[in-house]
Amino acid sequence: MVNVIVLQLIKAVGLWIVCGLSCIAMASPSQLTPVKLQLKWQHQFQFAGYYAALEQGYYRDAGLDVTLVEADVGKDSIQAVINGEAEFGVGTSELVLNYSNGDPVVVLAAIMQHSPLGLATIKSNNRFNIHQLASQTMMIEPSSAELFAYFKSEGVDIDQLNLVKHSHNTQDLIDGKVQAMSIYTTDETYDFESKGIDYQLFRPIMSGIDFYGDNLFTTQDMVDRNPELVEAFRQASIKGWQYAMQHSEAMIDLIIAHYSQRKTQAHLRYEADKMRELMKPNLVEIGYFNPGRWQQISRTYVQLGLLSEKFDVSGMLYQFDQDRAYQQLKQWLYWMLMVLSVVTLIAGVVYHQYRLATIRRKQFESLFLNAPVSLMELDQSGCVVSWNREAENTFQYTAKEAIGRNAYDLIVAKDKVSTVDALIASAWKQNTMTYSENHNIRKDGKEILCRWANMPFENEHKNQKHVISMARDITSEKALEGQLYHAAHYDELTELPNRALILAQLKDALEDAKRYQSQLAVLFIDLNKFKPVNDRYGHHVGDEVLKQVALRIKQTFRKNDLVGRLSGDEFIAVVKDLKQEAYLQKVIEKVCQAIDQPIQYDALTLHTSASIGSSQYPKDAESEQALIRIADHAMYQVKSNDHSDSN
């Protein structure tokens, strides 16, 4: 199965490269196709990925001349695209409602895996729970159905809410003109924190309502008429987001210099950090969405009476060609992430119940004891006060063995104690949840990897601070992530980087060479007389030849050089930090000599050789595609001059 996945991925990447080269060839200024992207708000880090796609030339390379259209108060980005004012747009998960009303919208990518929408109150004005808040004056912006779903799930009659027009001014909330306002947790909360204002957040996820955040979308007409353009725009946008999240400081400077000075660097940096928490780019591929989750979002609208019971979202979700088995593995990992979100929610419920322990002590104790996640209560010295059954299963200590002992001594490696202690101290000091991944030690001595959440609170004695720590063993999950990555990026036969990875590595190496003004060389290596070996002795012998040749090639180069398998009997190598051309010729000679050596397999002695072509940056070309093309052409010249059999 893994072999099939890898082969399909290589094929897909190969097609992508061909399409990419075609786009580059067509992307002269006079041939760029003009399109507009309607943003859902004013310029800020919320749209950094699209700025990056413009500034880094990803749209241009895809043959597109993209104009970003800024929105303002009252501007409906979804309706603007439907009316033909723009070809693409950024919208909320209320795209489901538009689709149900007959609007031909198509979701291309989910940028944020979790919605930033929330409801904020100022603690110094009044402290409310969600039911008390329902009778207070509130500002809720348009396209906030998930907030109404939150109220309804809590048993609040949404027809009785006291709503006024949203001013988009946090000062109105601070001054007490309203008691609550809808905000983005990536944006307005900065105003409160920078002014030292103690605020309270109500988020739909607290009630299990978990919508996607910003969604890139277009119309069905665009998909039908220009499928290549839509896919090119989608790919370039996602690539822009990947760049933006890896270079957030550069994007902040770009926004201030070219797009908007409304926000300070500190504000934009805060927005970037909060978006990273919602996008989870290290766990979930940017742009990924799950059809099952969209169907769950539609069921939330059904509960609000906005959709019919049998509504199907599949028609509004963009379909793109991906290897099914690979996607199933990724989907499994995604659901593991969702399980973690649910578990975190359970921990939040446990925390809330704990604060009401004086009236619900028995209910809390049962919930704590039987929660499907490891929970432990620690005092300020790290001693275990409570230890539930799942903690017994995870760490193999019974509650009797754990309670009263120091948790750091029980389950934390000695060299990590100071780090963990500082993390929990930070939770107490900032009075907020902290998250981490730590290696822990079980009773039997085995090391496991756990994902932790630590929640500080004051126990019945107000002067005593405790913390509830939640842990989940993710050892197997991380191992599977590693296996998935390896299957997608390494050749199963030779264990060398596959086509996709080696081309990505070449691109990175080329960017480094440009940054540090160094030189590099690309070697295109093709085996001679390989086909006769396959035909005469069988593919199992041919595979052994490829394995031994790959090992010899790899051993010829320095550790910081790159070697990968393109396909069949073709390999590529990248010589970094090239000082002299004479050194390159020596490397080529060493590779040829290594491959020329006889190959022993069982009773067979086999012979092969190689034709090698090369190109240099910046002498021959400045792009990875051009360097590979020149090296490939040079390899065929060598093969022709040697009168070798290329098969």
Side-chain angles (χ1 to χ4, degrees):
M1 177 61 74
V2 172
N3 191 38
V4 172
I5 294 171
V6 174
L7 290 175
Q8 292 296 325
L9 283 173
I10 291 174
K11 185 184 297 183
V13 172
L15 290 172
W16 179 83
I17 291 170
V18 171
C19 293
L21 289 172
S22 300
C23 289
I24 292 171
M26 295 188 297
S28 64
S30 62
Q31 294 175 320
L32 296 179
T33 302
V35 296
K36 292 181 180 179
L37 171 62
Q38 176 64 61
L39 307 180
K40 61 183 289 193
W41 190 234
Q42 297 166 359
H43 289 306
Q44 54 191 34
F45 198 94
Q46 182 179 355
F47 311 110
Y50 310 114
Y51 308 149
L54 274 173
E55 299 298 322
Q56 295 300 311
Y58 302 149
Y59 286 139
R60 183 182 63 251
D61 292 345
L64 301 172
D65 179 14
V66 178
T67 300
L68 303 181
V69 182
E70 192 177 32
D72 208 338
V73 177
K75 178 76 170 183
D76 187 336
S77 63
I78 299 177
Q79 203 58 47
V81 175
I82 294 171
N83 292 342
E85 298 172 29
E87 288 79 10
F88 300 91
V90 180
T92 68
S93 293
E94 284 197 14
L95 285 160
V96 172
L97 296 180
N98 290 89
Y99 180 74
S100 71
N101 291 330
D103 295 330
V105 293
V106 178
V107 178
L108 301 177
I111 304 305
M112 284 187 262
Q113 292 298 313
H114 304 287
S115 171
L117 188 63
L119 201 63
T121 65
I122 303 301
K123 287 185 178 181
S124 61
N125 294 344
N126 270 303
R127 290 177 181 264
F128 301 107
N129 61 38
I130 191 67
H131 300 90
Q132 295 167 333
L133 193 61
S135 62
Q136 304 299 315
T137 305
M138 289 183 285
M139 296 189 299
I140 296 183
E141 62 198 89
S143 302
S144 299
E146 60 192 282
L147 287 178
F148 296 113
Y150 177 33
F151 277 113
K152 190 164 185 176
S153 69
E154 292 291 340
V156 175
D157 185 354
I158 59 177
D159 293 329
Q160 301 301 314
L161 296 178
N162 185 10
L163 303 179
V164 297
K165 185 177 180 181
H166 207 300
S167 67
H168 297 278
N169 185 354
T170 55
Q171 196 61 43
D172 288 345
L173 178 63
I174 296 170
D175 292 342
K177 294 180 180 179
V178 293
Q179 296 302 314
M181 70 178 287
S182 62
I183 54 94
Y184 264 29
T185 58
T186 55
D187 189 358
E188 288 89 348
T189 48
Y190 175 80
D191 291 338
F192 305 140
E193 295 181 15
S194 62
K195 296 173 182 178
I197 295 173
D198 197 9
Y199 64 96
Q200 185 175 9
L201 273 182
F202 296 91
R203 298 184 61 199
I205 198 171
M206 294 175 176
S207 191
I209 298 169
D210 190 11
F211 282 18
Y212 285 115
D214 290 0
N215 299 283
L216 184 63
F217 73 99
T218 186
T219 62
Q220 188 62 53
D221 182 59
M222 275 293 294
V223 174
D224 293 340
R225 288 189 299 107
N226 300 291
E228 294 85 3
L229 184 150
V230 170
E231 178 60 13
F233 182 87
R234 176 184 167 278
Q235 291 279 3
S237 298
I238 291 175
K239 192 174 180 181
W241 272 112
Q242 291 168 343
Y243 180 92
M245 299 315 292
Q246 292 171 3
H247 306 84
S248 57
E249 288 298 320
M251 297 311 302
I252 290 169
D253 293 340
L254 175 68
I255 291 169
I256 292 176
H258 296 292
Y259 290 95
S260 175
Q261 291 81 43
R262 286 189 307 114
K263 297 182 178 181
T264 64
Q265 278 191 329
H267 194 158
L268 292 171
R269 190 174 295 116
Y270 177 93
E271 188 180 9
D273 291 340
K274 291 296 182 181
M275 283 191 64
R276 186 172 286 106
E277 294 174 9
L278 297 175
M279 292 174 67
K280 300 187 181 300
N282 294 330
L283 291 176
V284 182
E285 183 180 3
I286 295 176
Y288 175 79
F289 58 75
N290 185 284
R293 187 165 167 212
W294 275 108
Q295 197 64 50
Q296 181 61 41
I297 291 172
S298 74
R299 283 195 283 271
T300 300
Y301 288 124
V302 170
Q303 294 167 3
L304 285 172
L306 300 176
L307 289 180
S308 64
E309 283 283 347
K310 298 183 179 180
F311 182 74
D312 183 10
V313 300
S314 58
M316 64 172 279
L317 304 180
Y318 181 63
Q319 303 293 323
F320 49 96
D321 231 349
Q322 294 192 16
D323 181 83
R324 182 172 298 175
Y326 178 49
Q327 286 304 310
Q328 286 175 343
L329 284 174
K330 287 183 66 176
Q331 183 174 330
W332 186 90
L333 285 177
Y334 179 80
W335 279 111
M336 289 299 295
L337 177 64
M338 294 306 300
V339 169
L340 176 61
S341 298
V342 172
V343 167
T344 303
L345 178 62
I346 292 173
V349 172
V350 171
Y351 174 52
H352 178 67
Q353 291 296 326
Y354 201 96
R355 294 189 65 178
L356 301 176
T358 55
I359 60 174
R360 293 185 177 179
R361 189 65 189 181
K362 290 183 179 180
Q363 295 94 325
F364 165 76
E365 288 175 350
S366 177
L367 181 60
F368 183 96
L369 185 63
N370 297 292
V373 62
S374 298
L375 293 173
M376 59 193 73
E377 177 188 349
L378 309 179
D379 65 17
Q380 281 187 288
S381 65
C383 285
V384 178
V385 177
S386 301
W387 184 271
N388 79 344
R389 289 171 181 163
E390 190 60 29
E392 291 181 333
N393 295 332
T394 300
F395 300 106
Q396 300 182 343
Y397 289 99
T398 65
K400 186 176 181 180
E401 292 173 318
I403 292 174
R405 296 180 62 182
N406 190 287
Y408 305 154
D409 295 337
L410 279 180
I411 60 175
V412 181
K414 290 183 179 180
D415 60 336
K416 300 295 183 182
V417 168
S418 59
T419 302
V420 175
D421 187 41
L423 188 69
I424 293 180
S426 174
W428 278 321
K429 182 178 181 180
Q430 299 178 21
N431 195 31
T432 186
M433 283 184 87
T434 60
Y435 302 89
S436 65
E437 289 183 4
N438 301 322
H439 285 93
N440 297 104
I441 310 297
R442 298 192 319 194
K443 183 180 179 181
D444 63 2
K446 181 179 179 181
E447 185 177 274
I448 59 175
L449 180 64
C450 291
R451 183 167 290 140
W452 289 86
N454 303 297
M455 298 168 290
F457 70 98
E458 290 182 347
N459 70 350
E460 294 89 343
H461 307 285
K462 295 296 185 179
N463 62 337
Q464 293 185 6
K465 290 185 177 181
H466 285 196
V467 65
I468 291 181
S469 294
M470 179 196 76
R472 188 170 69 84
D473 184 354
I474 59 171
T475 309
S476 298
E477 179 184 333
K478 285 292 185 180
L480 182 58
E481 285 182 12
Q483 292 170 7
L484 178 61
Y485 179 87
H486 195 275
H489 295 87
Y490 286 84
D491 177 48
E492 185 180 25
L493 178 65
T494 64
E495 291 295 325
L496 292 178
N498 63 14
R499 185 184 188 98
L501 181 56
I502 190 63
L503 292 178
Q505 290 176 337
L506 170 58
K507 183 176 181 180
D508 291 341
L510 192 57
E511 290 178 354
D512 288 341
K514 292 177 180 178
R515 183 180 302 112
Y516 299 112
Q517 298 182 338
S518 60
Q519 302 179 61
L520 62 75
V522 175
L523 275 60
F524 200 106
I525 305 168
D526 185 85
L527 299 188
N528 301 320
K529 300 179 181 179
F530 177 70
K531 188 174 183 299
V533 173
N534 257 344
D535 293 344
R536 182 176 179 182
Y537 301 108
H539 287 286
H540 67 289
V541 176
D543 286 350
E544 182 63 27
V545 170
L546 288 174
K547 288 166 63 176
Q548 292 197 32
V549 166
L551 180 61
R552 293 177 183 182
I553 294 175
K554 184 177 181 180
Q555 291 175 339
T556 304
F557 290 89
R558 301 169 299 183
K559 287 185 178 181
N560 65 322
D561 293 332
L562 306 173
V563 178
R565 183 185 180 193
L566 286 182
S567 63
D569 58 353
E570 294 178 343
F571 300 85
I572 191 171
V574 179
V575 180
K576 296 182 179 181
D577 195 24
L578 182 65
K579 301 295 185 184
Q580 297 178 340
E581 190 166 342
Y583 173 75
L584 178 61
Q585 296 306 315
K586 289 182 179 179
V587 171
I588 293 174
E589 291 174 5
K590 287 176 64 178
V591 174
C592 288
Q593 292 171 2
I595 296 175
D596 282 344
Q597 297 300 311
I599 296 173
Q600 301 295 329
Y601 181 65
D602 289 341
L604 298 173
T605 300
L606 306 169
H607 296 272
T608 187
S609 61
S611 296
I612 303 176
S614 66
S615 59
Q616 298 179 43
Y617 166 84
K619 175 183 176 182
D620 299 321
E622 296 190 356
S623 71
E624 61 267 26
Q625 294 90 352
L627 288 168
I628 292 174
R629 184 171 63 251
I630 293 170
D632 186 23
H633 181 71
M635 180 274 295
Y636 276 108
Q637 285 186 324
V638 172
K639 193 179 289 286
S640 176
N641 292 339
D642 292 344
H643 304 287
S644 300
D645 182 355
S646 64
N647 294 320

